[in-house]
Every structure is written in structure tokens, then in C-alpha cells.
Amino acid sequence: LSPHILHYKKAQERRQFLKYGKHNDYQEELTRRDIAEQAFNAFTEVYEWARKDIVRKAAVKHAVKTVNLSRRLISDAEYEDCKAGLAALEKTPVKTDGTREEQITANSYRASGIGRYKGILKRYAEQKTVPTHPMELHVVAIGDVAFTASHFELYMDYMHRIQARSPFTQTFVAQLTNGSVGYLATERGEWGKGYSASMFCNIVSHKGGQELVEETVKTLKELRV
């Protein structure tokens, strides 16, 4: 989970002021320091009781399979919007005046926008013949603990769905493995149209997200036998 609680900035600033006092450091550095201290304290606390159950020998099983997940399809209207947006950006000249920072900001926005629009147009053409996205799924079982891995940045809901149905005592859901192809939003996320839930961010749809859950749970059960 992101440590930046976007709707709670004032409370986080107050927390850091009370914890560190008046400080001249960059706010982001204080946030990182706070996270590091919390992680250290959590590890120290957990280790005290977790070491009571050290397992010296455990069976290790590893399953790898390619799963084909339903793409997030680009509608005709979205395609037309992207064509128009691309045309407008391509007509926009590269900024050569102003400060160096202003040039970098404007030209970076132009270049990234062109890339995003072209990516959508390419997906629109591909989805007619390739409606699914292939993903290499890894599931590892070590004794009564399991690990699953995908190359998406998952919405938290998918982790809970997998963990709730896993036959293992403890299941870790890893993400962004073997590269990254963006976020995997839920149906509610797509409906909300917020950050990380746009057509630019999602290669796979919420339907594909549930397919990932089903394949992962199926594989976990196969390894549990």
C-alpha cells in the first residue's frame, strides 16, 4: 500500500511535527524516515514471537503457468478521443522558450501524452484479434506458507480474495514481478474512474482480475494436495 494518504496530509504533518519537532528537512524525507522506523519496529516486535516456530525443514513446491486474462477493451468513443488528443499534441510545438524547468515540464508532458495515446490506439487495433493478455503466474509453497506473484500493481481487494480462499495458513501476494504492465483495478475502481483506474493504466479489466484470482486459488489448491 502507498504510504501517502492523500486525503490526510494535515494529520500526517501533525504526526511528524509531534514526533520529530520543528524540522528543516524535506517533508518527503521525514515520511521515509517515519516509514523506516515503523518497519524496523514491526520487524523487531514480530521476530520476538515468530522465532518460536522456526521450521528447519519444509517441502518446497513451485508452479508456473501462463494465464490468459480478459483485456480492458477500448471503446470506439475512447478510440476517437485518443485520436483527437494525439493529433492535438502532435501539432503542439516543442517548447524552446522560458526557463529550463518550464521546457522540461512542457516537453515531458507532450512526449508522455503522445506515448499514452499511441499506446491506446495500438491496443484498440490488437484487441480485435487478441482479446486476452497472457501473464506468467508463479505460486510457491513452503510448508504451510504460500507465495503468489503477478506483474500487476494490484488493487488490495484481489489480495483479500486470494488470501480468504487459500488453503494455506498464510499466503503472501506479491506484485510487480517479472516487470510491470500497470494497475489492475476492480470493477468499483473502473466505475469511479479515479487515479490508476483509467484506460491508460489498465491493460486487464476487472473481469481479468477475477480470472487471476480464480487461477491463483486453483493453483494454490493444487499445491496443497
Side-chain angles (χ1 to χ4, degrees):
L1 293 178
S2 172
H4 300 86
I5 306 176
L6 299 181
H7 65 277
Y8 221 50
K9 290 184 178 181
K10 291 295 183 182
Q12 284 194 313
E13 290 173 3
R14 177 174 180 270
R15 166 191 171 83
Q16 292 175 359
F17 176 77
L18 293 173
K19 185 174 182 178
Y20 300 115
K22 188 174 181 179
H23 216 285
N24 293 324
D25 283 353
Y26 177 49
Q27 192 70 33
E28 183 67 20
E29 292 180 4
L30 289 181
T31 300
R32 294 174 185 175
R33 178 179 170 184
D34 190 33
I35 293 169
E37 290 171 353
Q38 290 184 64
F40 174 79
N41 292 334
F43 176 85
T44 303
E45 188 268 327
V46 170
Y47 180 70
E48 286 302 311
W49 50 261
R51 64 179 179 174
K52 297 176 183 177
D53 188 29
I54 295 176
V55 178
R56 303 291 180 182
K57 294 181 180 180
V60 178
K61 299 178 181 179
H62 181 200
V64 184
K65 61 175 66 173
T66 298
V67 294
N68 293 299
L69 309 174
S70 297
R71 286 176 178 261
R72 180 168 182 177
L73 301 180
I74 308 303
S75 68
D76 293 340
E78 289 171 332
Y79 170 74
E80 293 299 332
D81 285 344
C82 286
K83 276 182 62 178
L86 176 62
L89 279 180
E90 288 181 330
K91 290 179 181 177
T92 303
V94 174
K95 187 174 180 61
T96 57
D97 60 344
T99 66
R100 180 62 174 163
E101 182 178 353
E102 290 172 340
Q103 291 176 19
I104 292 174
T105 299
N107 294 330
S108 295
Y109 176 82
R110 179 182 181 275
S112 63
I114 288 174
R116 280 158 64 94
Y117 284 134
K118 285 185 176 180
I120 294 297
L121 300 185
K122 180 181 178 182
R123 282 169 53 188
Y124 181 80
E126 292 176 343
Q127 69 188 25
K128 298 176 182 178
T129 54
V130 187
T132 60
H133 169 76
M135 192 211 78
E136 187 176 276
L137 172 67
H138 287 257
V139 178
V140 178
I142 304 177
D144 200 29
V145 176
F147 299 83
T148 75
S150 73
H151 61 195
F152 300 102
E153 187 162 353
L154 296 171
Y155 269 44
M156 189 174 171
D157 303 50
Y158 293 119
M159 176 194 74
H160 288 306
R161 295 177 197 179
I162 292 170
Q163 289 180 333
R165 295 170 56 192
S166 173
F168 289 85
T169 299
Q170 194 166 12
T171 302
F172 293 88
V173 180
Q175 58 180 5
L176 299 174
T177 60
N178 296 324
S180 170
V181 294
Y183 294 93
L184 182 47
T186 58
E187 183 175 11
R188 183 184 178 193
E190 290 179 8
W191 173 83
K193 299 180 181 179
Y195 171 78
S196 75
S198 72
M199 61 179 171
F200 298 108
C201 302
N202 307 147
I203 297 291
V204 168
S205 67
H206 70 271
K207 179 182 177 183
Q210 188 59 36
E211 291 165 354
L212 173 61
V213 171
E214 299 299 334
E215 286 292 339
T216 302
V217 171
K218 177 184 175 182
T219 308
L220 285 164
K221 290 180 178 179
E222 291 170 350
L223 291 186
R224 192 66 171 133
V225 175

